[in-house]
């Protein structure tokens, strides 16, 4: 059965309208759905638990706050975060709960800045995870830079635009105060012996 006259144009209008709505949903879910914010907080030289048990001290790195927002009705099944030196592309060390298995159950930690101020922080659980629909996640980590420019790359494999890059810049004074990755690995090796 073929539609005739006005019925045919009505079906065509409904089809075009449906295509338009599907296109808007695709654009919203693909291009607008995730927001990533990166903020340099301060130089951190001590991390303690809520019970004031010192986890690390005299290891100065840059405190970084990461905010992820999923405005989509769809779950982003996986994301992966890595920090790199912008100039060389080398991966940078950062602290997360997976590196501190004995503190895995702790939700908050106290970051002490080099200027003496303290901050209650939600330490990054690991460098990857799941972003639920309509969710907001904020966590912090400490990154140990090699140069003045730090690049954070976050990958969303289920998203059309699967990589987002954000940058933080350090002054020469901030960089001079930070422990180098070589010093950090030597310090960690000496503590494990």
């Amino acid at each position: 059965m073929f539609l005739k006259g006005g019925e045919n144009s009505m079906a065509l209008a409904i089809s075009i309208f449906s295509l338009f709505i599907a296109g808007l949903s695709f654009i919203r879910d693909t291009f607008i759905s995730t927001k990533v914010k990166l903020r340099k907080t301060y130089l951190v030289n001590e991390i303690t638990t809520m019970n004031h048990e010192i986890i690390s001290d005299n290891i100065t790195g840059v405190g970084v706050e990461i905010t992820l927002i999923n405005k989509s009705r769809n779950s982003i099944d996986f994301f992966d975060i890595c920090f790199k030196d912008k100039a060389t592309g080398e991966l940078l060390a950062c602290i997360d709960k997976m590196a501190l298995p004995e503190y895995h159950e702790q939700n908050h930690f106290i970051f002490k800045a080099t200027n003496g101020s303290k901050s209650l922080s939600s330490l990054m659980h690991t460098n990857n995870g799941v972003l639920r629909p309509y969710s907001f996640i904020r966590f912090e980590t400490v990154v140990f830079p090699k140069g003045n420019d730090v690049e954070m790359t976050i990958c969303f494999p289920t998203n059309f635009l699967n990589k987002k890059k954000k940058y933080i810049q350090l002054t020469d004074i901030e960089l001079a105060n930070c422990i180098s990755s070589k010093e950090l690995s030597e310090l960690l090796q000496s503590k494990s012996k």
Side-chain angles (χ1 to χ4, degrees):
M1 259 188 169
F2 294 100
L3 299 174
K4 296 183 176 143
E7 294 172 352
N8 201 8
S9 60
M10 179 65 123
L12 182 62
I14 290 171
S15 297
I16 290 173
F17 182 72
S18 298
L19 182 64
F20 176 73
I21 295 298
L24 282 178
S25 294
F26 174 78
I27 289 170
R28 185 194 69 216
D29 289 344
T30 305
F31 298 104
I32 305 172
S33 66
T34 54
K35 297 287 182 198
V36 177
K37 294 181 183 177
L38 179 70
R39 184 175 71 93
K40 173 180 71 171
T41 54
Y42 38 75
L43 295 180
V44 176
N45 68 349
E46 183 180 285
I47 301 174
T48 61
T49 65
M50 295 297 291
N51 299 329
H52 303 288
E53 181 182 347
I54 295 175
I55 296 172
S56 69
D57 61 343
N58 298 321
I59 303 177
T60 304
V62 179
V64 176
E65 180 183 270
I66 302 164
T67 305
L68 304 176
I69 302 169
N70 183 8
K71 295 191 222 177
S72 167
R73 66 177 175 267
N74 302 319
S75 178
I76 296 175
D77 296 331
F78 185 78
F79 66 85
D80 185 34
I81 297 174
C82 66
F83 293 94
K84 295 180 183 177
D85 182 77
K86 188 178 173 188
T88 64
E90 288 182 68
L91 287 175
L92 300 175
C94 68
I95 294 178
D96 58 27
K97 285 189 196 178
M98 294 302 283
L100 308 166
E102 60 273 18
Y103 303 104
H104 193 328
E105 297 301 318
Q106 292 270 338
N107 288 326
H108 294 90
F109 295 85
I110 299 170
F111 285 9
K112 182 179 175 191
T114 53
N115 65 7
S117 65
K118 293 182 180 180
S119 168
L120 182 64
S121 301
S122 178
L123 189 62
M124 179 168 72
H125 180 71
T126 182
N127 68 329
N128 54 52
V130 175
L131 201 53
R132 299 282 175 223
Y134 304 111
S135 64
F136 167 86
I137 301 173
R138 187 191 69 78
F139 48 81
E140 293 184 54
T141 187
V142 178
V143 178
F144 302 96
K146 294 182 178 181
N148 291 68
D149 296 314
V150 175
E151 172 188 302
M152 181 193 79
T153 304
I154 183 164
C155 300
F156 301 103
T158 57
N159 196 323
F160 181 75
L161 293 175
N162 62 357
K163 273 190 183 177
K164 294 188 181 202
K165 294 183 179 185
K166 299 288 180 178
Y167 303 94
I168 56 173
Q169 192 167 34
L170 304 170
T171 65
D172 291 333
I173 295 169
E174 289 173 326
L175 184 62
N177 285 321
C178 289
I179 188 170
S180 72
S181 292
K182 182 181 176 187
E183 291 172 318
L184 178 65
S185 64
E186 288 171 359
L187 186 63
L188 293 174
Q189 286 174 359
S190 69
K191 283 189 174 186
S192 66
K193 291 179 183 178

